[in-house]
Amino acid sequence: MSVNDVRVAIDAGGQSTKGARTRLRILDAAARVLREKGYAATRLSDIAEVAGLQTGSLAFHFRSKNELIDEVLRHGMTAGLAGVRRSVDRLGPDATPAVRIEAAVHAHLDGLAARNDYAPAVLRLVDQLPADTRRRFRPTERAYIGYWRDLLTAAREAGELPADLDTALLTRLLLGAMNANLGRADAGPRGRLSTAILFMIGLRGNGASQE
Amino acid sequence: MSVNDVRVAIDAGGQSTKGARTRLRILDAAARVLREKGYAATRLSDIAEVAGLQTGSLAFHFRSKNELIDEVLRHGMTAGLAGVRRSVDRLGPDATPAVRIEAAVHAHLDGLAARNDYAPAVLRLVDQLPADTRRRFRPTERAYIGYWRDLLTAAREAGELPADLDTALLTRLLLGAMNANLGRADAGPRGRLSTAILFMIGLRGNGASQE
DNA sequence: GTCTATAGTTGGATAGAC
DNA sequence: GTCTATCCAACTATAGAC
């Protein structure tokens, strides 16, 4: 259920050679350090230490620091969208748009929870990336945003949200509100946070505490 | 009205010696570069270039890179709170809490507008700062958040927001939603964005477009 | 595959002329 | 006050032993 669970599926091949396992250990270490320190403040030596290797040894698995960070980003974004999509799909085809959104909100907040590293790392890194890296990941970012906008649009078309709603705008506000809880997704009862979020976007049919 | 207007008031003394003016030019240049590139990617040489000086000359005005950045942060945060507070105070003592919040939202979004540099720079930098710098600015950050929470609490006590509202939580979500518009505060009609924001926090008495 | 050791860069700090 | 020139620390990348 956690974002990290898809890790193996993403790793090319999925063999468990020693090299492949070390590679994953390095990626996990990188995600953790990047999440804690941010892009520039992360030294290869920090990552190596967490992974239990010497700094120079990283080069055997990743050509450069940027290549390693790229991999963390790619992994985090792909896993994030996959996690949300999985939660929504699990509901089956008969679920109403509002229920789908609720599931998506839960999944997104879960991805931001303290125990995960990849999604928080991605979120922290986006605004710190060199321009070219940032550009390379724009499409993936847009795909994520687009998925949410489609959820909202479907709700609007089902009459669960106002007909004149600007779904692009509300998507941005919604993601902004959710991401403001980075590192706190576990603080306080889960239900309260997601209830507040759903309330904010106008879905207050489920007994929202504010109405 | 813009955040930058308080600059002179903040500069110690307010004299207009040549040195003081150059100092301000450097600060403005720093805010602009920091806003565009972020913390670590900003080189002193970039700032110097924008300010029209040689890199070495910066040292005469600021002891170190960190001191310069500190000043930009201090300036940005102080001016940001001052701008919001001013907009609210201008309403006079008879304004209802809801109207005050509306004014605050306008002021906050205005601070994030494309033409300003300090507030966007601050916003981009907070998550990139070295731990000690970050710690030093926590109190100022809390003061800003606290001001907003007080606004929401007053509205709750006036019966304009639900009595069981968690104002701390909603403050976080509100700021998150607003800040997600960094660099876009001018995109589209101002009214639409702030209307959506006010709607989200449950203030929809003013003819919000979604109701 | 992983280690140690080193080469190469980058960029902030500093000194001293003008 | 501002410039040029230099120093120095930090960190990535690379080479070669084991």
Side-chain angles (χ1 to χ4, degrees):
Chain A
M1 172 64 141
S2 151
V3 170
N4 292 325
D5 295 351
V6 240
R7 188 176 53 210
V8 172
I10 288 179
D11 183 46
Q15 304 105 322
S16 259
T17 69
K18 182 183 177 196
R21 271 180 284 121
T22 304
R23 199 185 141 86
L24 284 186
R25 221 173 60 237
I26 295 172
L27 276 175
D28 286 349
R32 190 167 123 204
V33 177
L34 286 168
R35 177 213 181 141
E36 283 167 4
K37 303 201 173 187
Y39 184 85
T42 294
R43 335 232 168 277
L44 287 181
S45 52
D46 299 327
I47 298 176
E49 189 181 3
V50 172
L53 278 80
Q54 294 303 309
T55 308
S57 310
L58 298 180
F60 181 82
H61 302 275
F62 298 92
R63 206 182 312 276
S64 71
K65 180 183 179 180
N66 276 333
E67 186 178 299
L68 170 52
I69 291 183
D70 265 34
E71 191 78 9
V72 171
L73 289 172
R74 205 173 57 76
H75 186 157
M77 291 185 173
T78 314
L81 179 51
V84 171
R85 201 187 286 272
R86 202 158 6 107
S87 287
V88 172
D89 288 348
R90 210 192 331 255
L91 297 172
D94 297 335
T96 66
V99 171
R100 287 170 186 276
I101 291 174
E102 193 178 336
V105 167
H106 280 301
H108 184 93
L109 292 175
D110 188 60
L112 265 47
R115 75 197 128 81
N116 296 325
D117 283 328
Y118 286 90
V122 168
L123 213 54
R124 175 159 191 185
L125 257 51
V126 229
D127 281 332
Q128 311 187 19
L129 298 174
D132 57 329
T133 310
R134 177 72 205 260
R135 215 179 349 266
R136 196 161 53 248
F137 281 102
R138 262 289 152 64
T140 315
E141 197 184 346
R142 285 196 197 286
Y144 192 73
I145 296 174
Y147 181 78
W148 280 89
R149 198 185 48 241
D150 290 347
L151 285 178
L152 293 184
T153 304
R156 185 184 62 188
E157 260 140 40
E160 295 174 330
L161 287 176
D164 63 343
L165 178 70
D166 181 342
T167 52
L169 173 59
L170 193 62
T171 299
R172 197 182 332 136
L173 301 182
L174 168 61
L175 289 172
M178 287 195 293
N179 291 342
N181 294 284
L182 221 193
R184 306 186 196 235
D186 289 326
R190 165 73 49 75
R192 188 164 190 182
L193 176 53
S194 54
T195 300
I197 297 276
L198 293 170
F199 178 84
M200 285 184 92
I201 63 174
L203 292 175
R204 47 189 80 78
N206 313 327
S209 69
Q210 294 187 27
E211 197 65 45
Chain B
M1 171 64 139
S2 149
V3 170
N4 293 326
D5 296 351
V6 239
R7 188 177 53 209
V8 174
I10 287 178
D11 184 45
Q15 302 103 325
S16 260
T17 69
K18 184 185 175 196
R21 269 180 286 123
T22 304
R23 200 186 140 85
L24 283 185
R25 220 172 62 237
I26 296 172
L27 276 175
D28 286 348
R32 191 168 123 204
V33 177
L34 286 168
R35 178 214 179 138
E36 284 166 3
K37 303 200 172 187
Y39 184 85
T42 293
R43 293 179 272 283
L44 286 181
S45 53
D46 299 326
I47 298 175
E49 190 181 5
V50 172
L53 278 81
Q54 294 302 312
T55 308
S57 309
L58 297 181
F60 181 82
H61 301 275
F62 298 92
R63 208 183 309 277
S64 71
K65 182 184 180 183
N66 276 332
E67 185 177 300
L68 170 52
I69 292 184
D70 266 33
E71 191 78 11
V72 171
L73 288 172
R74 206 173 57 77
H75 186 158
M77 290 185 175
T78 314
L81 179 51
V84 170
R85 200 187 286 273
R86 201 157 7 106
S87 288
V88 171
D89 288 347
R90 211 192 334 254
L91 296 172
D94 296 336
T96 66
V99 172
R100 287 170 187 277
I101 291 174
E102 192 177 338
V105 166
H106 282 301
H108 185 93
L109 292 175
D110 188 59
L112 266 47
R115 75 198 127 78
N116 297 324
D117 283 329
Y118 285 89
V122 169
L123 213 53
R124 176 160 190 184
L125 258 50
V126 234
D127 283 331
Q128 310 187 18
L129 298 175
D132 56 329
T133 311
R134 179 71 207 262
R135 216 180 346 267
R136 200 163 46 251
F137 281 101
R138 262 289 152 65
T140 315
E141 196 184 347
R142 287 196 196 285
Y144 193 73
I145 296 173
Y147 182 78
W148 281 90
R149 198 186 48 241
D150 290 346
L151 285 177
L152 293 184
T153 303
R156 185 185 62 188
E157 259 138 40
E160 294 174 331
L161 287 175
D164 63 342
L165 178 69
D166 180 341
T167 52
L169 173 59
L170 193 61
T171 298
R172 198 183 330 139
L173 301 182
L174 168 61
L175 289 173
M178 287 196 293
N179 292 342
N181 293 285
L182 223 194
R184 307 188 196 233
D186 289 325
R190 167 73 49 77
R192 188 162 189 187
L193 176 53
S194 53
T195 299
I197 296 277
L198 292 169
F199 177 85
M200 285 184 93
I201 62 172
L203 292 175
R204 46 189 81 79
N206 314 324
S209 68
Q210 295 188 23
E211 197 66 45

